[in-house]
Amino acid sequence: KGLAIYDRQFQKNPFLRATAQNKASLLMKLGRTEEAVGLLRDPRGLTSLDLEATASFSLLETLFKLDRRTEAATEIDDLLAWDKRPATLMRVGNLLMEQREYAKALDLLEKATSGVRDWNYEELLTSLAKCRAKLGQAEDLVKVTDQLMRSSSSADWRLQNLQGWLSAEGFHDLAAQVIQNRLAQQPEKTDLYFSLATARADTGSTSEAFAAYEAAAKALPADRLGEL
């Protein structure tokens, strides 16, 4: 029934990309994968570069779901041959990170940061930090967080989310390094001492956890110690 609805929509207008995407999703659920891929490859309705890029990402996500990695790699090459915008490089990099292809992702994310700063620069730096964490590049990760702190006054929540992600992924030492780096520049932030103590406790180092509270006692006024 659902396919019949989409077919009628196509009869009225074969250039509707949203209809193509929805029909492809339904075909995937029905196990008709070749038809879905063929539909996503259909260039009809791609009237702008943005629509063409969006269609490429839909196809890429589908190919990765089907574990057709060789085809996905070719599609990435074709896309990046003409679209080198930072947002596109970041999106492909994030897709590759989901596939655990961290070295390839890092290359694209680094290229994206070297380009013109777009509206999503902080998001890009966060992706770069996560990729460096996956590759065990602790020193470079701290440098990225420095860039993130300098990028805007609203970067704190992204850094907080990054710390949470690092801890959830088991990178407790890296989380502690990020927090310590923030404390060096924001020693008045009470929550960072608590976060540092938690990160150190997660590594199994009770002494370093207590040391974080001792550092807070030295750095903060007595009337703020109750916030810990």
Side-chain angles (χ1 to χ4, degrees):
K1 184 177 180 180
L3 289 176
I5 293 173
Y6 293 133
D7 288 338
R8 284 197 296 272
Q9 291 176 344
F10 271 127
Q11 287 177 356
K12 294 178 181 179
N13 188 345
F15 300 99
L16 292 174
R17 291 308 303 178
T19 301
Q21 179 62 56
N22 292 335
K23 183 179 178 180
S25 297
L26 181 55
L27 288 169
M28 286 286 290
K29 291 178 182 177
L30 295 172
R32 295 162 61 174
T33 57
E34 290 303 323
E35 291 178 69
V37 170
L39 186 58
L40 292 173
R41 290 190 187 279
D42 190 335
R44 287 181 295 177
L46 301 180
T47 56
S48 70
L49 293 180
D50 281 340
L51 284 174
E52 189 170 348
T54 298
S56 291
F57 281 114
S58 295
L59 177 58
L60 276 172
E61 290 167 354
T62 300
L63 291 173
F64 278 129
K65 284 179 183 177
L66 296 172
D67 200 28
R68 292 162 65 162
R69 305 177 79 85
T70 301
E71 290 178 64
T74 300
E75 184 65 26
I76 288 173
D77 289 342
D78 291 344
L79 172 62
L80 297 183
W82 60 268
D83 189 352
K84 303 182 188 300
R85 292 174 296 179
T88 299
L89 293 170
M90 181 184 74
R91 194 168 175 185
V92 176
N94 286 338
L95 271 177
L96 290 172
M97 280 185 64
E98 291 174 5
Q99 303 303 312
R100 300 184 180 182
E101 296 187 24
Y102 302 119
K104 292 180 181 178
L106 179 63
D107 179 58
L108 294 179
L109 293 171
E110 285 182 329
K111 288 178 181 176
T113 57
S114 66
V116 177
R117 291 193 180 186
D118 210 340
W119 60 270
N120 59 349
Y121 185 66
E122 291 178 9
E123 182 182 353
L124 170 59
L125 289 177
T126 303
S127 293
L128 181 59
K130 291 179 179 180
C131 195
R132 291 203 180 283
K134 287 291 188 179
L135 291 169
Q137 299 176 354
E139 185 175 336
D140 290 326
L141 167 62
V142 172
K143 290 178 182 177
V144 174
T145 59
D146 277 337
Q147 289 178 268
L148 194 51
M149 278 189 282
R150 293 194 302 269
S151 64
S152 78
S153 58
S154 62
D156 269 4
W157 72 273
R158 287 195 182 276
L159 287 162
Q160 197 70 31
N161 289 342
L162 175 61
Q163 290 164 204
W165 180 86
L166 289 168
S167 294
E169 292 289 317
F171 299 125
H172 304 299
D173 283 327
L174 292 180
Q177 288 183 50
V178 170
I179 298 165
Q180 284 182 315
N181 193 44
R182 293 180 66 193
L183 272 172
Q185 301 182 48
Q186 300 172 308
E188 77 286 351
K189 289 185 70 67
T190 311
D191 62 304
L192 291 180
Y193 293 99
F194 177 78
S195 296
L196 180 58
T198 301
R200 289 306 189 192
D202 287 339
T203 65
S205 179
T206 305
S207 61
E208 290 187 339
F210 279 115
Y213 286 117
E214 290 172 355
K218 294 176 181 178
L220 298 172
D223 60 349
R224 294 193 58 198
L225 294 181
E227 298 174 22
L228 292 172

